[in-house]
Amino acid sequence: MSAVSAQRAASLSPDLLRRMDAYWRAANYLSVGQIYLRDNPLLEEPLTLAHIKPRLLGHFGTTPGLNMLYVHLNRLIVEHDLDMINIIGPGHGGPGLVAHTYLEGSYTEHYPAIERSRSGMHRLFRQFSWPGGIPSHVAPETPGSIHEGGELGYSIAHAYGAAFDNPDLIVACIVGDGEAETGALATSWHSNKFLNPARDGAVLPILHLNGFKIANPTVLARIGHDDLRDLLRGYGYAPHFVEGDDPMLVHQQLAATLDLALAEIKAIQHEARAGTGPSTRPRWPMIVFKTPKGWTGPKVVDGKPVEGTWRAHQVPIADFKNPEHLVQLDAWLRSYRPEELFDEHGKFREEYAALAPTGHRRMGSNPHANGGALLKPLALPGFRDHAVAVAQPGVAKAEATRVLGGYLRDVMKLNLDAANFRLFGPDETASNRLDAVYAVSGKVWMAETEAIDTDLSQDGRVMEVLSEHLCQGWLEAYLLTGRHGLFSCYEAFVHIVDSMVNQHAKWLKVTKGIPWRRPIASLNYLLTSHVWRQDHNGLSHQDPGFLDHVANQTADVARIYLPPDANCLLSVADHALR
Amino acid sequence: MSAVSAQRAASLSPDLLRRMDAYWRAANYLSVGQIYLRDNPLLEEPLTLAHIKPRLLGHFGTTPGLNMLYVHLNRLIVEHDLDMINIIGPGHGGPGLVAHTYLEGSYTEHYPAIERSRSGMHRLFRQFSWPGGIPSHVAPETPGSIHEGGELGYSIAHAYGAAFDNPDLIVACIVGDGEAETGALATSWHSNKFLNPARDGAVLPILHLNGFKIANPTVLARIGHDDLRDLLRGYGYAPHFVEGDDPMLVHQQLAATLDLALAEIKAIQHEARAGTGPSTRPRWPMIVFKTPKGWTGPKVVDGKPVEGTWRAHQVPIADFKNPEHLVQLDAWLRSYRPEELFDEHGKFREEYAALAPTGHRRMGSNPHANGGALLKPLALPGFRDHAVAVAQPGVAKAEATRVLGGYLRDVMKLNLDAANFRLFGPDETASNRLDAVYAVSGKVWMAETEAIDTDLSQDGRVMEVLSEHLCQGWLEAYLLTGRHGLFSCYEAFVHIVDSMVNQHAKWLKVTKGIPWRRPIASLNYLLTSHVWRQDHNGLSHQDPGFLDHVANQTADVARIYLPPDANCLLSVADHALR
Ligand SMILES: Cc1ncc(C[n+]2csc(CCOP(=O)(O)OP(=O)(O)O)c2C)c(N)n1
Ligand SMILES: Cc1ncc(C[n+]2csc(CCOP(=O)(O)OP(=O)(O)O)c2C)c(N)n1
């Protein structure tokens, strides 16, 4: 336990602690049940092989940690009436999210067949996992989610994108320590230089330091406490460490630390909004949550350590030809004491269920996580008013994107009050000739400024950072929470986000088949600096392949337009933003 | 100036300082000359519009910083007889590299028409830039380069890839502070957990903190000294700060700091190689080089500050319709005092030229930067010895990649002494069933270890990190410096490196047309976890699109094989590694 956390006093009453722990056990029980059981959901009979699924899938390792965090975020929401969503970097912990949304009631409201009863639980267990069942990862199907976490690396970028222009929202963001090794994640921490505490919501990053990936230790778990602290401070955060493997002690530490982090968030926001504090970049809190991978699972299987190792990553006990394994699984499941948690009808006991938030405060029912429902159309200027006059064919000369810049300036202006439109680019907005927008809105910048700077502003709505990943990730989440935007990028380097584009397209595709998911605004790219315009950059800047990449999508997910001149570009922009 | 650097004493004699500064001025003069002049290369006549190129291209801003570093690295090489190459993250500083390789003689050896004389200099200036001339970026055409730096973000990964298994090599790596915002770069700093000082060479990262990108300040320049120091310490380095805008003071500081950094590198290597020190991960030195963007260029143009701002990024004075600009350019060029630097025949004066290293010690002629010339074929086992016996069609069952794992184990074994083969994967080597290799070589890991860890080793030749960017970047540079490797990756997530793949393919394509570049080994991918094998991961893990992406390359650059069974896979592996 670190010195910092040791100083924090216990903050949960014995009764609350007992009930929160029970809630956690219930979520863990339902997670393990989804992975293993096809029958006997309440363990009312002795466990037999016939109750176990024939093919075992899913990821247990990360799940108990995610589950504990969810219980504690629930407490915070209830005590402070918070508007909060939860982004899960290690999305393979899907069973945990399904379990929690089921416990709080959101799941059943979205999927009435999965009742809060024995038979509902039975179906809950059986429907896991894909194909044929529900996805094993957090997915569009999961209530409360805007982030799949299948391809790792985008949790923090998504968290910030959701928080922009949502002043009352707090986005808890659980980052896998393996995920933290990816490029996209490693730069995402710097998003705090682009979030304005007066205008935007808050992001609370929680580094889930469970020490292991699929088959290796993680870098961040093995650099020592001091390097990790320095790294996170260097990224601009005030890290708070929660560490342990005794659930009762960790519950207390985590509760105290969350109270502290929330108080820090509120203080930062209060100062910024009252205009009393200095207008410098605040040092936002974050949490390092160091607990065992596969916590509460089997400690040893076949003589090999499992809890607290990479061996817990997926299914800790697999092969049931060994009769010992059945005994172990039985003991593991019963260690959660399901009979204490669920009544004889399989209903979660009210004593515990009452801990969850209600209505839209439940993270599985928060409207921000179904952004289409919040979507308001943009107010758009008449694009014809920006048209280049063409007296006769072939006479007018115009820079197409400069003309578009004037149009986007007006889009920006008309929607300033609605605060639901942003422009994204990797340090290329000016070289893409869109700089007319600065007349209405600068580039957001919370870091230090110097007298010579121009067009930077803490209130800016143009997002410029030299990371295509951040532009894409921020914009995806901004859209997924019901807003609008445009990403302008050199054609050659937009390939950097090929994989993100595919994952977003898949999300959209699946969403179309989910009745309760409302359509969101389109992700608009403006590709510039085309293959034939490389007089000063050369071959490395030539790559027309993104069109190919996008053309692999079906027409109801992606559209490509090739406007040949300024006026066509205006018309396309009008169409895309509508 | 930081406290640390202030303590360091001046280390250059007045005469050496004078000559090094002259060398720097010469490199700057040649860089500006390339950007601006088509005639009058030595400014023997008064400058007129007729001497200026009609279309001005290139990037000046980063160049004076790169140029100063090159002069100082030269001093270090000469004084210590170092084997050193130089990787330039901001590759758009191409004119600087061309200038330096010209001054040291490497350029003329590669391109005899570009003599070290007035007419050679004339041609040097006129040939810049693409199309029609040489690339404006560091490129395959540039002697001494293995890194283009057009698409930003891969400098550090390339530097480490070059250093692996090259114990006597030091790779200086200049990182743009803008480049540092990219995802790939942000995670690359952690490469130091995978470099073994006993066996591998050293990387000396130099963060080029010139404060600005194309049109914005950089994040790292605006987070304050303490956050930056913490960040770099958190990444595991000992940062040394060099800071100023008075060339004479900066020369002294930089020289002293480089001496210090080299001493630290030598001490780390000595301890590791003598086996006397603790075998923990060393804290490698690095340098933060904080100098003005566009240093020595015009301070103000049209009333706007240029030196020390983003306005210096490309061509600081552009429009020559304004007669004042011609006067400014003339003064700027003459400020380097070309008549002091070059004799009446346009030859670099011996007094200065003598500062450069000679032969293969010149960074423009270092053999590691033309890896094909060093390439030795792998010793390969008979792949038929690993074949699955198939008594009759359709009867044998085998896991194809597990069989391949046995073959790769033998490849690893046969080439252990040559130390020129490595296996790369994003935490997937075991789940891809290649774990048989661990019998011969573990996974390299210089970070902390715990008793439960398995298959980790400081001497390992399997590279596992949860970053597809790092796997790709390390391997590219490992190949470009004349070695061999294989990257195994889930099919869906290999899209993360789409853009890197294209840039590498373009490098290879251009290389084929450069007589002095020798062919290097192929970059071999093993794609696993295919689209139809997603029983537990689901849609996010389905994406067969990388084949499409690669199929856009021509057949002399890329090949695709689809081995249907274990034995075909063996044969393909044998073919690819040959
Ligand atoms: C970009 C990417 N590369 C590889 C994988 C394969 N993969 C799935 S889970 C995992 C390990 C994740 O470790 P961590 O983020 O620490 O999650 P946890 O340990 O909490 O499960 C890997 C490498 C992936 N999902 N995404
Ligand atoms: C991945 C990528 N995105 C965008 C660009 C366009 N671009 C070229 S130079 C540059 C700014 C680079 O800044 P820095 O790395 O600090 O270099 P320096 O200031 O030394 O020129 C940008 C954004 C690029 N080359 N690569």
Side-chain angles (χ1 to χ4, degrees):
Chain A
M1 202 199 287
S2 77
V4 182
S5 57
Q7 290 160 9
R8 272 171 254 139
S11 71
L12 304 174
S13 72
D15 185 58
L16 182 55
L17 172 61
R18 180 185 61 79
R19 291 192 292 144
M20 285 175 68
D21 187 64
Y23 204 117
W24 181 47
R25 283 189 279 121
N28 287 342
Y29 180 78
L30 295 180
S31 303
V32 183
Q34 288 176 78
I35 295 174
Y36 282 100
L37 297 183
R38 61 170 168 179
D39 260 321
N40 192 12
L42 285 162
L43 287 189
E44 288 154 315
E45 302 165 38
L47 188 68
T48 70
L49 280 182
H51 302 142
I52 299 177
K53 299 184 178 190
R55 183 133 169 64
L56 297 170
L57 305 167
H59 298 78
F60 176 68
T62 193
T63 305
L66 303 181
N67 282 345
M68 182 179 271
L69 290 165
Y70 204 105
V71 176
H72 281 254
L73 294 174
N74 274 349
R75 179 189 68 91
L76 221 58
I77 293 170
V78 170
E79 281 187 17
H80 301 270
D81 190 28
L82 300 181
D83 192 4
M84 181 179 269
I85 62 170
N86 186 12
I87 296 212
I88 309 288
H92 43 277
L97 268 281
V98 170
H100 261 296
T101 51
Y102 177 76
L103 289 172
E104 74 190 17
S106 303
Y107 202 88
T108 306
E109 287 168 28
H110 289 88
Y111 302 101
I114 311 296
E115 297 155 6
R116 303 172 82 185
S117 67
R118 180 189 296 102
S119 66
M121 196 190 292
H122 191 199
R123 274 193 283 269
L124 180 80
F125 289 179
R126 286 185 85 109
Q127 71 172 3
F128 181 90
S129 85
W130 199 90
I134 63 167
S136 65
H137 287 62
V138 180
E141 292 89 341
T142 319
S145 66
I146 60 163
H147 173 87
E148 161 138 14
E151 179 171 300
L152 298 166
Y154 314 123
S155 58
I156 295 198
H158 283 164
Y160 277 88
F164 295 143
D165 290 314
N166 271 326
D168 299 327
L169 185 67
I170 300 184
V171 186
C173 179
I174 305 176
V175 181
D177 51 350
E179 180 192 14
E181 293 172 19
T182 63
L185 202 292
T187 198
S188 295
W189 299 103
H190 287 300
S191 302
N192 55 11
K193 282 90 199 178
F194 300 87
L195 180 131
N196 177 340
R199 170 187 64 170
D200 302 320
V203 172
L204 177 63
I206 303 174
L207 178 64
H208 191 190
L209 200 72
N210 61 13
F212 296 92
K213 301 177 290 219
I214 298 182
N216 286 289
T218 63
V219 169
L220 295 191
R222 298 298 181 85
I223 58 175
H225 180 273
D226 291 358
D227 273 18
L228 182 58
R229 180 207 54 216
D230 285 354
L231 183 67
L232 298 170
R233 285 193 63 84
Y235 278 128
Y237 296 89
H240 301 295
F241 290 78
V242 172
E243 180 174 345
D245 57 10
D246 177 332
M248 293 304 147
L249 296 180
V250 176
H251 278 305
Q252 289 291 11
Q253 253 196 75
L254 178 58
T257 305
L258 280 169
D259 285 344
L260 179 65
L262 181 64
E264 289 176 349
I265 288 173
K266 296 247 172 198
I268 289 168
Q269 292 181 332
H270 180 79
E271 270 201 5
R273 292 169 193 189
T276 55
S279 67
T280 55
R281 171 173 59 93
R283 186 170 288 282
W284 292 96
M286 66 160 291
I287 294 174
V288 178
F289 184 60
K290 185 168 176 185
T291 52
K293 189 152 182 168
W295 204 9
T296 72
K299 297 215 183 309
V300 174
V301 178
D302 297 331
K304 291 197 176 129
V306 173
E307 190 195 39
T309 82
W310 71 96
R311 294 192 191 90
H313 182 68
Q314 294 191 358
V315 179
I317 307 175
D319 162 26
F320 285 91
K321 271 172 242 128
N322 179 339
E324 173 61 22
H325 289 179
L326 183 66
V327 178
Q328 270 193 296
L329 176 61
D330 187 55
W332 176 14
L333 280 162
R334 290 189 199 279
S335 74
Y336 300 122
R337 306 197 295 281
E339 65 290 354
E340 274 179 36
L341 307 171
F342 302 96
D343 68 17
E344 62 283 15
H345 309 293
K347 200 165 164 296
F348 193 33
R349 290 185 198 274
E350 190 51 31
E351 173 181 23
Y352 311 125
L355 291 179
T358 53
H360 280 172
R361 289 306 196 215
R362 292 171 299 178
M363 290 190 284
S365 299
N366 190 303
H368 293 290
N370 185 8
L374 302 175
L375 186 68
K376 296 206 185 67
L378 286 175
L380 291 182
F383 71 92
R384 287 180 186 82
D385 302 343
H386 291 265
V388 178
V390 185
Q392 58 189 79
V395 295
K397 262 207 164 173
E399 282 183 290
T401 55
R402 200 180 290 287
V403 173
L404 180 71
Y407 172 80
L408 290 175
R409 177 197 58 221
D410 289 1
V411 175
M412 195 60 100
K413 193 194 282 174
L414 289 173
N415 298 283
L416 270 188
D417 290 343
N420 62 351
F421 177 74
R422 295 202 185 203
L423 192 62
F424 300 76
D427 187 31
E428 295 163 2
T429 305
S431 75
N432 290 340
R433 313 274 184 262
L434 303 177
D435 41 317
V437 292
Y438 302 154
V440 171
S441 173
K443 296 173 276 189
V444 63
W445 189 257
M446 295 297 302
E448 296 168 359
T449 55
E450 293 182 3
I452 47 153
D453 293 334
T454 58
D455 303 318
L456 301 182
S457 150
Q458 298 200 342
D459 295 321
R461 314 186 64 73
V462 179
M463 316 290 299
E464 286 248 270
V465 62
L466 212 177
S467 165
E468 287 75 7
H469 290 113
L470 276 181
C471 291
Q472 172 83 18
W474 287 344
L475 176 53
E476 284 176 359
Y478 198 65
L479 301 175
L480 286 162
T481 49
R483 283 79 65 76
H484 306 263
L486 184 145
F487 176 7
S488 84
C489 192
Y490 294 169
E491 179 182 55
F493 305 140
V494 73
H495 268 305
I496 291 173
V497 296
D498 273 7
S499 61
M500 297 179 78
V501 174
N502 278 4
Q503 300 295 2
H504 186 68
K506 286 191 257 183
W507 182 283
L508 295 178
K509 193 178 155 194
V510 171
T511 295
K512 283 185 191 288
I514 303 176
W516 56 267
R517 286 259 178 211
R518 312 295 310 141
I520 60 167
S522 68
L523 204 166
N524 306 306
Y525 298 94
L526 172 70
L527 301 190
T528 62
S529 200
H530 301 127
V531 57
W532 53 83
R533 283 294 298 271
Q534 289 309 332
D535 34 17
H536 68 299
N537 284 314
L539 189 59
S540 64
H541 288 53
Q542 292 194 315
D543 193 338
F546 189 72
L547 295 186
D548 271 35
H549 185 72
V550 169
N552 279 333
Q553 302 294 338
T554 54
D556 57 339
V557 171
R559 295 282 168 88
I560 296 172
Y561 301 90
L562 299 167
D565 64 22
N567 291 344
C568 295
L569 179 60
L570 284 171
S571 164
V572 167
D574 174 79
H575 173 69
L577 295 174
R578 219 164 262 284
Chain B
M1 203 200 287
S2 77
V4 182
S5 58
Q7 290 158 11
R8 273 171 254 140
S11 71
L12 303 175
S13 72
D15 185 58
L16 182 55
L17 172 61
R18 181 185 61 80
R19 291 191 294 144
M20 287 175 68
D21 188 64
Y23 205 118
W24 181 46
R25 283 187 281 122
N28 287 341
Y29 179 78
L30 294 180
S31 303
V32 182
Q34 288 176 78
I35 295 174
Y36 282 100
L37 298 183
R38 61 170 166 176
D39 261 321
N40 193 13
L42 285 161
L43 288 188
E44 289 154 314
E45 302 165 39
L47 188 68
T48 70
L49 281 182
H51 303 141
I52 299 176
K53 298 185 177 187
R55 183 133 168 63
L56 297 171
L57 305 167
H59 298 78
F60 176 68
T62 194
T63 304
L66 302 181
N67 281 346
M68 184 180 270
L69 290 165
Y70 204 103
V71 177
H72 282 254
L73 294 174
N74 274 349
R75 178 188 67 90
L76 222 57
I77 292 170
V78 171
E79 280 187 18
H80 301 270
D81 190 28
L82 300 180
D83 192 6
M84 181 179 270
I85 61 170
N86 186 14
I87 296 210
I88 310 288
H92 44 277
L97 269 279
V98 171
H100 261 296
T101 52
Y102 176 76
L103 289 173
E104 74 190 18
S106 303
Y107 202 87
T108 305
E109 286 168 30
H110 289 86
Y111 302 102
I114 311 296
E115 297 155 6
R116 302 170 83 187
S117 66
R118 179 189 294 102
S119 67
M121 195 189 294
H122 192 199
R123 275 193 283 269
L124 181 81
F125 288 0
R126 287 186 86 110
Q127 72 172 4
F128 182 90
S129 87
W130 202 89
I134 63 167
S136 65
H137 287 62
V138 181
E141 291 90 338
T142 319
S145 67
I146 61 163
H147 173 87
E148 160 137 15
E151 180 170 302
L152 298 166
Y154 315 123
S155 58
I156 295 197
H158 283 165
Y160 277 88
F164 294 142
D165 290 314
N166 271 326
D168 299 325
L169 185 67
I170 301 183
V171 186
C173 180
I174 305 177
V175 181
D177 51 350
E179 181 191 14
E181 293 172 21
T182 64
L185 201 293
T187 198
S188 295
W189 299 103
H190 287 299
S191 302
N192 55 11
K193 283 91 200 178
F194 301 87
L195 181 129
N196 177 339
R199 170 187 64 170
D200 302 319
V203 172
L204 176 63
I206 303 173
L207 178 63
H208 191 189
L209 201 71
N210 61 13
F212 296 92
K213 301 177 290 219
I214 299 182
N216 286 289
T218 63
V219 169
L220 294 191
R222 301 297 182 87
I223 60 176
H225 180 272
D226 291 358
D227 273 17
L228 182 59
R229 181 206 52 218
D230 285 355
L231 184 67
L232 297 170
R233 285 192 64 84
Y235 278 128
Y237 296 88
H240 301 296
F241 290 77
V242 172
E243 179 175 345
D245 57 10
D246 177 332
M248 294 304 147
L249 296 180
V250 175
H251 278 305
Q252 289 291 10
Q253 254 197 76
L254 179 57
T257 306
L258 279 168
D259 285 344
L260 179 64
L262 181 65
E264 289 176 350
I265 288 172
K266 297 247 171 197
I268 289 168
Q269 291 182 334
H270 180 78
E271 272 201 3
R273 293 171 192 188
T276 54
S279 70
T280 55
R281 171 172 59 93
R283 184 170 290 282
W284 292 96
M286 66 162 289
I287 294 174
V288 178
F289 184 61
K290 185 169 176 186
T291 52
K293 189 153 182 168
W295 203 10
T296 71
K299 295 214 182 313
V300 173
V301 177
D302 297 332
K304 290 195 176 131
V306 172
E307 191 196 37
T309 81
W310 70 97
R311 293 192 191 90
H313 182 68
Q314 294 191 358
V315 179
I317 307 175
D319 162 25
F320 284 92
K321 270 175 241 126
N322 180 339
E324 172 62 21
H325 288 179
L326 182 66
V327 177
Q328 269 193 297
L329 176 62
D330 187 55
W332 175 16
L333 279 163
R334 291 188 198 278
S335 74
Y336 299 122
R337 307 198 295 279
E339 66 290 355
E340 274 179 37
L341 308 171
F342 303 95
D343 69 17
E344 62 283 14
H345 308 294
K347 196 162 167 299
F348 192 33
R349 290 184 197 276
E350 191 49 32
E351 173 182 21
Y352 312 124
L355 292 178
T358 54
H360 279 173
R361 290 307 195 212
R362 291 171 299 177
M363 290 191 283
S365 298
N366 190 301
H368 293 289
N370 185 9
L374 302 175
L375 186 68
K376 296 207 183 67
L378 288 174
L380 292 182
F383 72 92
R384 287 181 185 81
D385 301 344
H386 292 266
V388 177
V390 185
Q392 58 188 82
V395 294
K397 264 206 163 174
E399 283 183 289
T401 56
R402 201 180 290 287
V403 174
L404 179 70
Y407 173 78
L408 290 175
R409 178 198 58 221
D410 288 0
V411 175
M412 194 62 99
K413 194 193 284 176
L414 288 173
N415 298 282
L416 270 188
D417 290 342
N420 63 350
F421 177 73
R422 295 201 184 205
L423 192 62
F424 301 76
D427 187 30
E428 294 164 4
T429 305
S431 75
N432 291 341
R433 314 272 183 262
L434 303 177
D435 42 316
V437 292
Y438 302 154
V440 172
S441 173
K443 296 173 277 188
V444 62
W445 189 257
M446 295 298 301
E448 295 169 359
T449 53
E450 294 182 3
I452 47 154
D453 293 334
T454 58
D455 304 318
L456 302 183
S457 150
Q458 298 200 342
D459 296 319
R461 316 186 60 74
V462 179
M463 316 290 300
E464 286 249 90
V465 62
L466 211 177
S467 165
E468 287 75 5
H469 290 112
L470 276 182
C471 292
Q472 171 83 17
W474 288 341
L475 176 53
E476 284 177 358
Y478 198 66
L479 301 175
L480 285 163
T481 49
R483 284 79 64 77
H484 305 263
L486 186 146
F487 177 8
S488 85
C489 191
Y490 294 168
E491 178 182 53
F493 305 141
V494 73
H495 269 304
I496 290 172
V497 296
D498 273 6
S499 60
M500 297 179 77
V501 174
N502 279 2
Q503 300 294 2
H504 186 68
K506 285 191 259 183
W507 182 283
L508 295 179
K509 192 177 156 196
V510 171
T511 295
K512 281 185 193 287
I514 302 176
W516 56 268
R517 286 258 177 212
R518 312 295 312 141
I520 60 167
S522 68
L523 203 165
N524 306 306
Y525 298 94
L526 171 71
L527 301 191
T528 61
S529 200
H530 301 127
V531 58
W532 54 82
R533 283 293 299 270
Q534 289 310 330
D535 34 17
H536 68 299
N537 284 314
L539 189 58
S540 65
H541 288 53
Q542 292 193 317
D543 192 339
F546 188 72
L547 294 187
D548 271 35
H549 184 72
V550 169
N552 278 334
Q553 302 294 339
T554 55
D556 57 340
V557 171
R559 294 281 169 88
I560 297 171
Y561 301 90
L562 300 166
D565 64 23
N567 291 345
C568 295
L569 178 60
L570 284 172
S571 162
V572 167
D574 174 78
H575 173 68
L577 293 175
R578 219 163 263 280

